[in-house]
Amino acid sequence: MNKQATIAEVMGAGPVMPVIVIDRLESAVPLARALVDGGVCVLEVTLRTPVALAAIRAIAAAVPEAIVGAGTILNEQDLAAAQAAGARFGVSPGATPSLLRAVRAGGLPFLPGVMTPSDIVAALGEGFSAVKFFPAVPAGGVEMLKAFAGPFPQLRFCPTGGISAANARDFLALPNVDCIGGSWLAPKARVEAGDWAAITALAREAAMLRST
Ligand code: 3PG
């Protein structure tokens, strides 16, 4: 996937998009390699730490098999910084009109965050056909996604928030879900311990979720 990927290609690259928080820049490349080794190549690095942009840059340079994107994009400044760092897609927990317009103008494959029908109508109005449903479990989970399928049959979802290996299959079984997001593939304690083998094992399990 060397050319610019579409959001459909990003969502179709695997069942789980890990939501990653990187506190130490030195962890970025080994963590990305551990996930890729387990068969998970789409990585959402959240813009929640001071080193997040440098981490995206480092992964993009050192792990070409990874499709690294930026998460927690809250405004146009975050969007511009993520693109400059080499993010190949973006994710936001929300969807303000100004952010949606900036995304459309900038052309980065993007998942705006939605939680309500009005959020969805706004995203559809700006031309988005795929969204992050956040926070998925607290906001109604599987039943909410089933309800969305009625009025919004054209919309593809990446539910995120409260999903783990225990409930992942329930979400992946839904016809309007292309992939799910979650932080359970990169637990803070494992990352801090540099336990890359454990993370590769978690990734391997996640990559197989649709086939087992
Ligand atoms: C987030 O943005 O923090 C994600 O939605 C991750 O949620 P999780 O930790 O429940 O997987």
Side-chain angles (χ1 to χ4, degrees), residues 19 21 44 46 48 72 93 132 134-136 160-164 181-184:
V19 175
V21 178
E44 177 192 333
T46 56
R48 294 182 202 174
T72 324
K132 165 172 170 161
F134 177 80
T160 307
I163 302 183
S164 67
S183 61
W184 86 91

